[in-house]
Amino acid sequence: MLAVVSTLAWPLVVPGTPLSWAAFGEVGHELLGSLAVGVTLGLLLIGYLRLVGRHLLLVLAALGLVLTRVLDDLHFDWLLIFIAAGFLVQNLSSQGPRLLHAVEGTGEVVYVVFFATAGAHLDLPLLAELWPVALLFAGVRAAATVLAGWLAARAAGDPPVLRRWGHAGLLSQAGLALGIAGNVAKELPGFGPSFGALAIATVAVNEVAGPLLFSAALARAGETAAASGPAEVESSAPLQG
């Protein structure tokens, strides 16, 4: 959706840029090609996990450092590729837990680098001006999330506690939103930096409020140690983590 909307909006934000079918052809190439490459990568990862399964951290690091650059040069979306590959491994094979364990092992380093980079590009004077708009964006997103979560839970026939609190785990956001904001800031030098600062400010609001609300929802649902008795905590131990 983002790729299609960006293609439609490009002539509006960049004067002199025509809207043509060729632009949609490029979008199709990027989306369909990225999905195809992601499926191929997922199948290769499944085969590697089954047949070898060793030095997985090195394999993931090589994929992250080498493939991202190569895929950018080939005009594929590496975010979509890795999402498709991970989805395939998790849902169409029994190797999902092994892949997740390896990815979690690199999480701390990736988070430090990713958020340090985002913070280094943050324009504090501009951010001070954009905080009211960021709060408005965060509020609109939160309202839409609450409504969508309630409707989805009602349609699925979920228990009342999920209808009331199921949305709480969806308010936090970070990685993908910041990645998209970085792409916009790079591709649109006119207002891209302002948009990037606004996106980071909105993510910051959601990152502060989201975990607090999620913790409260877990307590209300009786899913935390503080809200459960010893026997319940022990019986639910395999589900924690």
Side-chain angles (χ1 to χ4, degrees), residues 48 52-61 98 102:
Y48 181 85
V52 182
R54 295 176 297 177
H55 308 299
L56 191 55
L57 289 178
L58 293 178
V59 172
L60 293 177
R98 298 181 65 183

Side-chain angles (χ1 to χ4, degrees), residues 174-189:
L176 189 58
L178 292 177
I180 293 174
N183 286 337
V184 172
K186 180 178 64 175
E187 297 293 335
L188 299 173

Side-chain angles (χ1 to χ4, degrees), residues 54-196:
R54 295 176 297 177
H55 308 299
L56 191 55
L57 289 178
L58 293 178
V59 172
L60 293 177
L63 290 175
L65 294 173
V66 177
L67 269 188
T68 51
R69 180 60 182 174
V70 173
L71 295 171
D72 274 340
D73 292 338
L74 296 175
H75 302 290
F76 290 128
D77 189 330
W78 51 267
L79 285 174
L80 183 58
I81 289 173
F82 290 135
I83 289 174
F87 179 86
L88 192 73
V89 175
Q90 174 67 22
N91 293 280
L92 297 182
S93 77
S94 60
Q95 305 301 318
R98 298 181 65 183
L99 179 63
L100 285 176
H101 180 72
V103 171
E104 289 170 355
T106 63
E108 292 82 359
V109 177
V110 173
Y111 293 150
V112 169
V113 174
F114 186 87
F115 288 106
T117 302
H121 289 87
L122 186 58
D123 187 338
L124 290 180
L126 182 60
L127 190 59
E129 299 178 6
L130 294 175
W131 268 111
V133 184
L135 290 175
L136 176 62
F137 274 28
V140 171
R141 178 180 178 272
T145 301
V146 171
L147 178 60
W150 183 82
L151 291 175
R154 185 179 179 86
D158 288 335
V161 67
L162 282 182
R163 296 185 189 181
R164 192 176 302 113
W165 294 103
H167 64 273
L170 305 175
L171 292 179
S172 297
Q173 63 174 160
L176 189 58
L178 292 177
I180 293 174
N183 286 337
V184 172
K186 180 178 64 175
E187 297 293 335
L188 299 173
F191 67 89
S194 300
F195 178 85

Side-chain angles (χ1 to χ4, degrees), residues 185-223:
K186 180 178 64 175
E187 297 293 335
L188 299 173
F191 67 89
S194 300
F195 178 85
L198 176 61
I200 294 174
T202 305
V203 169
V205 173
N206 291 327
E207 280 299 286
V208 171
L212 295 176
L213 183 60
F214 188 38
S215 177
L218 290 176
R220 293 297 183 108
E223 296 290 339

